[in-house]
């Protein structure tokens, strides 16, 4: 007896009855909702997003609407709706401010054309329920790919359901050029980020989001496009000798690429004479290329230089070898690069390098943790800024951080 396989209303093929348990287990591991029905000799597959209710809308809480691009904003939202709906989600695009209590996820979106800026900026605002590491990594990567600065901020918001608020600011450009160069890419990037949010813990479940016709190409299929679970390797063995040379392995383009970003927390201690401000954070270096990156050199540039002191688990060069963090009988950790590090810091630059040779493999992240940044003399109406740059001399590669620390201290009225 054969069991019919259906995805939605479409017939995807048939499997032998005795294969039903293994088939059910396999496709559940791949993220599908599998519903066997032996009485009617069929098994129903649904995507991992089937039944998920996602609300997408313009952000009507934005106060500054002078440069708002409502028509392009709407177009991006419609494309996101199309992409997510194709993955099996129920996507609701609303045109006015309202709360959807039954939503599994809510995406707010706003788009601004800002005169004077040179490159686009995407700011992602979320609450603690909304973003996971995979979502943030995806947005970092997609923004790097599109030449967009990325900022991420977590806020405390009394929302019952998870949400993200995405604000994009871009330089002056015609509406048609915006869509060709940026708009479609942003719609795809935002969709990929939302999918990552739902599938961080089960990476293989993303296969359930792909139409079954594409997914079935993983296997050898018959002329009527129905699934045939015969391994592809067996078909390759049957190829005539003259045609085997046509089976070429895909070439992999070698890339030396990394992304650098900061995360930090601000601590303010209220004193009688003045407030004491301190930041504690980390600098992350993620290898997003295909080549090993060797021996990163970090430069932290601060302004105003006389008001900022940078410290942490960083050792002076002359004591690094003896006082470094010991592990596996090797000296690990970070040190100031030059003997004149204190004088350099007073001039606004702090140079840091590994104590021992350090390699960052593809898809690996190396972090300089527990950075402590003290504002020594916080002045009213001043702008405190710390930027990060990473250099790989052997690979001739320079990267600036995708975000920076920026504090504007204003005078109380």
């Amino acid at each position: 007896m054969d069991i019919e396989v259906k995805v939605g209303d479409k017939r995807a093929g048939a499997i032998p009855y005795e294969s039903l348990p293994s088939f059910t287990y396999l496709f559940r591991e791949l993220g599908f909702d599998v519903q066997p029905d032996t009485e009617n000799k069929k098994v129903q597959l649904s995507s991992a997003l089937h039944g998920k209710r996602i609300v997408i809308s313009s952000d009507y809480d934005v106060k500054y609407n002078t440069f708002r691009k409502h028509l392009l904003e709407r177009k991006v939202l419609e494309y996101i709706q199309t992409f997510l709906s194709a993955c099996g989600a129920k996507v609701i695009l609303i045109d006015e401010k309202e709360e959807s209590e039954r939503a599994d996820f809510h995406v707010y979106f706003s788009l601004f054309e800002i005169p004077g800026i040179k490159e686009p900026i995407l700011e992602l605002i979320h609450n603690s329920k909304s973003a996971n590491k995979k979502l943030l990594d995806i947005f970092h990567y997609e923004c790097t790919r599109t030449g967009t600065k990325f900022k991420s901020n977590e806020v405390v918001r009394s929302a019952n359901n998870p949400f993200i608020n995405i604000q994009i600011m871009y330089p002056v450009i015609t509406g048609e050029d915006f869509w060709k160069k940026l708009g479609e890419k942003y719609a795809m990037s935002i969709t990929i980020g939302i999918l990552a949010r739902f599938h961080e813990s089960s990476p293989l479940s993303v296969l359930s989001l792909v139409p079954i016709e594409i997914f079935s190409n993983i296997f050898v299929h018959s002329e009527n496009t129905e699934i045939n679970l015969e391994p592809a390797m067996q078909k390759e063995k049957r190829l005539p000798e003259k045609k085997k040379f046509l089976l070429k392995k895909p070439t992999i383009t070698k890339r030396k690429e990394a992304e650098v970003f900061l995360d930090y927390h601000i601590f303010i201690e209220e004193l009688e004479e003045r407030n004491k401000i301190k930041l504690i954070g980390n600098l992350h270096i993620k290898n997003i290329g295909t080549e090993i990156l060797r021996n990163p050199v970090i430069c932290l540039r601060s302004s105003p230089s006389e008001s900022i002191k940078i410290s942490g688990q960083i050792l002076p060069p002359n004591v690094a070898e003896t006082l470094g963090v010991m592990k596996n009988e090797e000296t690990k950790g970070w040190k100031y690069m030059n003997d004149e590090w204190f004088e350099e810091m007073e001039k606004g630059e702090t140079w840091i390098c590994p104590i021992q040779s350090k390699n960052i493999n593809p898809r690996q992240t190396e972090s300089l943790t527990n950075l402590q940044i003290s504002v020594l003399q916080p002045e009213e109406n001043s702008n405190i800024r710390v930027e990060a740059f990473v250099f790989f001399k052997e690979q001739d590669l320079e990267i600036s951080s995708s975000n920076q620390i920026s504090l504007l201290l204003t005078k109380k009225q």
Side-chain angles (χ1 to χ4, degrees):
M1 179 176 72
D2 284 345
I3 302 294
E4 181 184 30
V5 180
K6 297 192 71 176
V7 180
D9 297 328
K10 295 182 180 180
R11 186 179 190 276
I15 60 171
Y17 172 75
E18 57 270 22
S19 299
L20 183 57
S22 59
F23 178 89
T24 301
Y25 176 69
L26 168 64
F27 277 80
R28 280 178 180 167
E29 287 295 297
L30 295 178
F32 286 87
D33 177 29
V34 186
Q35 297 294 334
D37 183 0
T38 55
E39 183 178 351
N40 295 306
K41 299 179 182 179
K42 68 177 182 180
V43 57
Q44 186 75 40
L45 301 181
S46 302
S47 80
L49 279 187
H50 178 72
K52 295 294 184 182
R53 183 182 175 93
I54 301 176
V55 174
I56 57 177
S57 65
S58 294
D59 182 10
Y60 287 88
D61 289 332
V62 176
K63 298 179 180 179
Y64 307 105
N65 295 321
T66 307
F67 305 112
R68 189 84 171 264
K69 292 296 178 180
H70 292 281
L71 293 179
L72 289 174
E73 192 175 287
R74 173 75 181 192
K75 190 174 182 180
V76 173
L77 287 171
E78 288 175 347
Y79 268 71
I80 294 173
Q81 182 184 33
T82 300
F83 293 146
L84 289 175
S85 297
C87 296
K90 184 175 182 180
V91 186
I92 302 165
L93 174 55
I94 56 178
D95 296 318
E96 57 187 19
K97 184 179 179 181
E98 67 176 58
E99 286 292 333
S100 179
E101 295 182 356
R102 294 182 298 158
D104 294 289
F105 201 56
H106 198 141
V107 180
Y108 298 90
F109 181 67
S110 52
L111 189 65
F112 303 89
E113 183 183 72
I114 308 296
I117 65 173
K118 296 182 180 180
E119 56 186 337
I121 302 169
L122 186 151
E123 183 172 5
L124 176 68
I125 303 169
H126 60 90
N127 62 6
S128 58
K129 300 179 181 178
S130 310
N132 52 32
K133 185 177 185 301
K134 188 66 174 177
L135 180 145
L136 296 176
D137 286 347
I138 287 291
F139 270 98
H140 271 296
Y141 175 78
E142 293 293 325
C143 285
T144 301
R145 187 175 65 87
T146 56
T148 303
K149 283 188 175 180
F150 176 70
K151 297 182 178 180
S152 172
N153 294 296
E154 181 176 325
V155 298
V156 177
R157 177 170 173 173
S158 58
N160 294 326
N161 299 312
F163 79 95
I164 56 173
N165 189 322
I166 300 168
Q167 296 182 9
I168 296 178
M169 293 160 280
Y170 64 94
V172 175
I173 188 174
T174 64
E176 184 178 350
D177 284 344
F178 168 82
W179 186 252
K180 289 180 180 178
K181 296 179 180 179
L182 296 174
E184 186 178 20
K185 294 178 181 178
Y186 285 143
M188 294 183 65
S189 298
I190 292 170
T191 302
I192 294 170
I194 295 170
L195 297 181
R197 192 263 173 191
F198 282 97
H199 296 280
E200 181 189 36
S201 59
S202 303
L204 287 179
S205 64
V206 297
L207 292 173
S208 72
L209 307 178
V210 181
I212 194 67
E213 307 87 57
I214 300 174
F215 175 75
S216 63
N217 284 337
I218 298 173
F219 307 102
V220 179
H221 53 80
S222 58
E223 293 180 357
N224 63 1
T225 71
E226 294 184 354
I227 297 177
N228 180 352
L229 298 180
E230 180 184 12
M233 288 301 294
Q234 293 184 13
K235 183 177 180 182
E236 180 183 341
K237 290 178 181 178
R238 297 199 306 270
L239 288 174
E241 291 297 327
K242 292 182 180 179
K243 292 186 178 181
K244 282 191 176 181
F245 73 93
L246 296 175
L247 297 174
K248 297 181 179 179
K249 294 182 179 180
T251 57
I252 300 176
T253 304
K254 294 183 178 181
R255 291 181 294 108
K256 293 178 289 186
E257 193 174 357
E259 62 180 20
V260 178
F261 54 97
L262 292 150
D263 69 68
Y264 58 94
H265 299 277
I266 304 172
F267 299 89
I268 301 177
E269 183 181 355
E270 294 187 0
L271 304 175
E272 292 184 1
E273 299 180 356
R274 58 181 176 84
N275 291 335
K276 183 178 180 181
I277 301 175
K278 189 172 185 177
L279 299 93
I280 297 179
N282 309 294
L283 174 70
H284 306 286
I285 308 167
K286 183 176 181 180
N287 186 344
I288 58 174
T290 61
E291 301 293 295
I292 297 175
L293 299 178
R294 307 179 190 280
N295 300 323
V297 172
I298 299 169
C299 175
L300 300 176
R301 183 179 298 166
S302 56
S303 64
S305 57
E306 65 277 3
S307 299
I308 298 175
K309 177 185 177 183
I310 298 176
S311 60
Q313 296 176 345
I314 311 165
L315 300 176
N318 58 339
V319 297
E321 294 299 331
T322 55
L323 298 181
V325 179
M326 301 300 296
K327 185 177 180 181
N328 295 330
E329 299 182 354
E330 292 182 0
T331 307
K332 301 285 186 180
W334 301 87
K335 65 178 181 179
Y336 294 107
M337 189 173 178
N338 303 312
D339 293 330
E340 301 81 14
W341 60 273
F342 189 78
E343 290 80 0
E344 292 176 342
M345 185 185 300
E346 290 182 329
K347 295 179 182 179
E349 289 189 354
T350 303
W351 290 86
I352 304 165
C353 65
I355 295 175
Q356 294 288 346
S357 179
K358 187 181 295 291
N359 294 338
I360 307 178
N361 296 318
R363 295 181 293 180
Q364 178 185 345
T365 300
E366 188 68 44
S367 301
L368 172 57
T369 59
N370 196 30
L371 273 174
Q372 300 180 27
I373 302 171
S374 301
V375 182
L376 303 177
Q377 298 175 344
E379 298 179 359
E380 295 176 338
N381 299 322
S382 63
N383 188 9
I384 304 298
R385 178 175 298 178
V386 179
E387 301 173 278
F389 305 88
V390 178
F391 303 86
F392 294 93
K393 185 176 180 181
E394 294 180 32
Q395 285 87 12
D396 192 26
L397 182 63
E398 303 178 6
I399 309 107
S400 59
S401 61
S402 57
N403 63 336
Q404 58 182 258
I405 296 172
S406 182
L407 300 177
L408 181 61
L409 307 180
T410 59
K411 185 177 181 181
K412 293 182 180 179
Q413 299 295 328

